Amino acid sequence: MSTAPKRYQLTPEQIALSEERKAKKLQNAALQPVNDTGGIIERRWIQTEPRQSSQQGQLVKVFTWNLLAQCLVRRELFPTSNCLKAAQREQMLCRELLFTQADILCLQVLSSLETNRCLFILLQEVDRLEKIIPVLKEAGYAYHYAAGPGKKHGCLIAFKEQLYTMISTKTVLYDTEEVRGDGDDTARRGKSFDTKNIGSLISLQSNMAGKAEGVIVATTHLFWHPKYTYERTRQAGILVRETSNFRKGLDVEHWPCIIAGDFNFAPDDVAYSLLVGDSILPEQKDALASSYVVHMSVDPSVPRDPKPDAGESNEESGDPDKVITSARAATPSDGLLSLTELSEFFARIPKLRSAYDVGLSRVRALGDVQTFGSRVTMRSDRKGRHEPEYTSYTHFWKTTLDPTDRNSSVAALLSPHKLQDLEPGLPQKGISSSDHVSLAAEISLPKEKETNG
C-alpha cells in the first residue's frame, strides 16, 4: 500500500532567502515611476538601537494604519483635500502599503467600498474571498478580518504566511464586555455608548522556530467621539485585559504581544496615562468627569437631541469640539467605573510601552523630527512626550491618535511626516491617501524558553 509523499518543508534559511528576494522584488516594484495619482512621500527609517542578531531575538517589521474607509469620505469633512474619490486614492494607498515591506500589518477602518485590486489587505466581505485568493498568494500574505455587528468598516491583521501560521483568533465586542462583577447586566458592562467597536486578536506561530516562538497581535479602532473620554478609556482597558487573557488561555504566556491601532486619543489623555502607568493629572480628571453620561443607544428612554447625533453616520466628522448629544448624566445604577475604579482596573492588567515614545526618546539627534512634546507642554517625567507630533491631520482635526503599543524592544521606526508636508490637510495627492499617518516599527521579539505554571 503506497503512502502519499510528505510535503516538503522549507528550512529557516530557505525561508529567509525567499523573504529577502520577495522584499527586493516588492521594493523595486514600489520604486518604479508612477503617475501623479500614485505618488506618496516615502519616509526614511530611524535606527533607535543596534540591530540584534537572530540568536538574540527575531526582528519583525510591523505596520499600522487607519486607511479612511471610502464610506466615511465626505467633501464637507475634508474641504482642503484633493484626492477624495476612490480612484484617486487607490494607487497611493497601494504604494504606501507596499513601501515598508512589513511582516505584519494592522489596518483599521476598511470599507467594503474599497477596491480589491490593491493586494489582499483591502478585503472586507467574505463573499469576495474567491476573487482575492490569487492576489493573496502572489503577495505572500494571509489575513484575518473582523468587524462589529452592523458596522460599515472593520479591522484587518495581515501577516506573511511564510513567516507565520495563524493558530487562533478572537473578536472582542466592547459593547458586551463586563467591567465589574456586581449589579445587573447594564451595571456590569458599565458602558456609556453602544459603539459597535471591536478589538481583533490573533495568535501567530513562527514558522522559523515552530511552537517555541510566536506572537499575539491585536488591533482596534476605539470610539471616535472626542467628548466620550470615559467610553474610550473603558474600551482601551478591555482590549489589554482580553489580549492578556487570550494569551494566557492559549498557554503561550512567553509570547510577546503587539497592540496597534487607532486609539482616538492623544498622549496627554487619561486613557494613555492609565495604559502606560502615569499618574492622572487634574485636567485629565476634568475631561473624564464631563464624559460620565449614558447615551440613548444604551438607555432608549433618553430623548433624541435635534442636533446631529454621534452615530456612525457622523463618525469622525467635523468640529473636534462637538458636544455630547442625546445623552443623560450617569447614575450609580449605570455602573460606569469611577476614576478610582478605573485605576484599580488598569492596575490589574499589563502596562504598555509605546514603540514611538520609547524609540524616539533614545535617539539623541532627531534632526527635523518633531514630537508631541515639541508642540504640547508636558512635564519631563511624563510618558508620551516623544510620540509623533501628528498622526492625524485634516482641516478640522489635527492631533496625535495612533500610538503603536508594544512589549518588545524597538530597533527602528518609520519617521513621522514633517508638518509642512501635511498642510493644508490630509488626504493630499503626493502625500497620503488617508487622513491618518501610517506608522511602522521594527521590533526585536525576544527568544524565551517555554515555562511551566
Side-chain angles (χ1 to χ4, degrees), residues 40 65 83 92 96 417 426-434 436:
I40 62 167
W65 196 20
C83 55
M92 294 169 60
E96 189 151 358
H417 275 295
L426 299 177
Q428 283 292 321
K429 289 181 181 179
I431 308 296
S432 177
S433 62
S434 175
H436 287 65

Side-chain angles (χ1 to χ4, degrees), residues 208-435:
M208 307 287 284
K211 295 181 179 180
E213 293 184 21
V215 62
I216 304 296
V217 183
T219 193
T220 191
H221 180 226
L222 300 185
F223 188 41
W224 68 272
H225 196 293
K227 295 298 184 181
Y228 275 86
T229 302
Y230 168 80
E231 185 57 36
R232 201 160 29 252
T233 303
R234 171 185 172 275
Q235 293 179 358
I238 289 172
L239 176 66
V240 178
R241 181 191 69 185
E242 294 308 304
T243 301
S244 179
N245 289 342
F246 180 62
R247 178 173 65 172
K248 185 176 182 180
L250 296 173
D251 196 23
V252 290
E253 293 187 74
H254 59 290
W255 287 11
C257 292
I258 296 172
I259 301 178
D262 183 352
F263 299 103
N264 272 319
F265 54 69
D268 56 359
D269 189 272
V270 62
Y272 188 100
S273 294
L274 286 168
L275 283 172
V276 300
D278 264 355
S279 60
I280 306 305
L281 302 175
E283 55 269 29
Q284 294 175 327
K285 294 179 182 179
D286 292 341
L288 181 65
S290 65
S291 68
Y292 279 103
V293 300
V294 173
H295 186 258
M296 63 176 294
S297 59
V298 177
D299 180 2
S301 69
V302 175
R304 179 182 295 275
D305 194 288
K307 298 178 181 179
D309 193 41
E312 187 167 2
S313 61
N314 293 291
E315 187 162 343
E316 299 188 4
S317 60
D319 185 2
D321 295 321
K322 277 181 171 292
V323 298
I324 292 175
T325 62
S326 304
R328 61 167 173 79
T331 65
S333 63
D334 295 315
L336 275 65
L337 299 177
S338 67
L339 176 56
T340 299
E341 291 172 319
L342 278 172
S343 298
E344 293 171 350
F345 182 97
F346 278 83
R348 296 191 294 268
I349 61 179
K351 294 293 180 290
L352 301 185
R353 297 184 307 140
S354 166
Y356 273 82
D357 192 44
V358 171
L360 292 182
S361 69
R362 294 175 178 171
V363 181
R364 293 185 178 182
L366 287 176
D368 56 359
V369 176
Q370 297 297 304
T371 64
F372 185 76
S374 302
R375 67 177 180 88
V376 176
T377 302
M378 295 181 70
R379 293 195 332 233
S380 59
D381 62 335
R382 302 290 295 182
K383 295 182 177 67
R385 293 175 59 248
H386 292 92
E387 296 285 1
E389 182 179 20
Y390 293 101
T391 59
S392 181
Y393 199 92
T394 72
H395 176 74
F396 289 113
W397 185 255
K398 303 174 179 65
T399 191
T400 304
L401 296 173
D402 306 279
T404 309
D405 298 297
R406 314 182 193 281
N407 288 333
S408 299
S409 60
V410 183
L413 296 168
L414 185 64
S415 62
H417 275 295
K418 300 176 184 178
L419 177 58
Q420 58 266 33
D421 294 330
L422 302 177
E423 294 288 1
L426 299 177
Q428 283 292 321
K429 289 181 181 179
I431 308 296
S432 177
S433 62
S434 175
D435 59 334

Side-chain angles (χ1 to χ4, degrees), residues 147-153 196 312:
K151 200 78 169 175
K152 294 179 180 178
H153 50 76
K196 302 179 183 177
E312 187 167 2

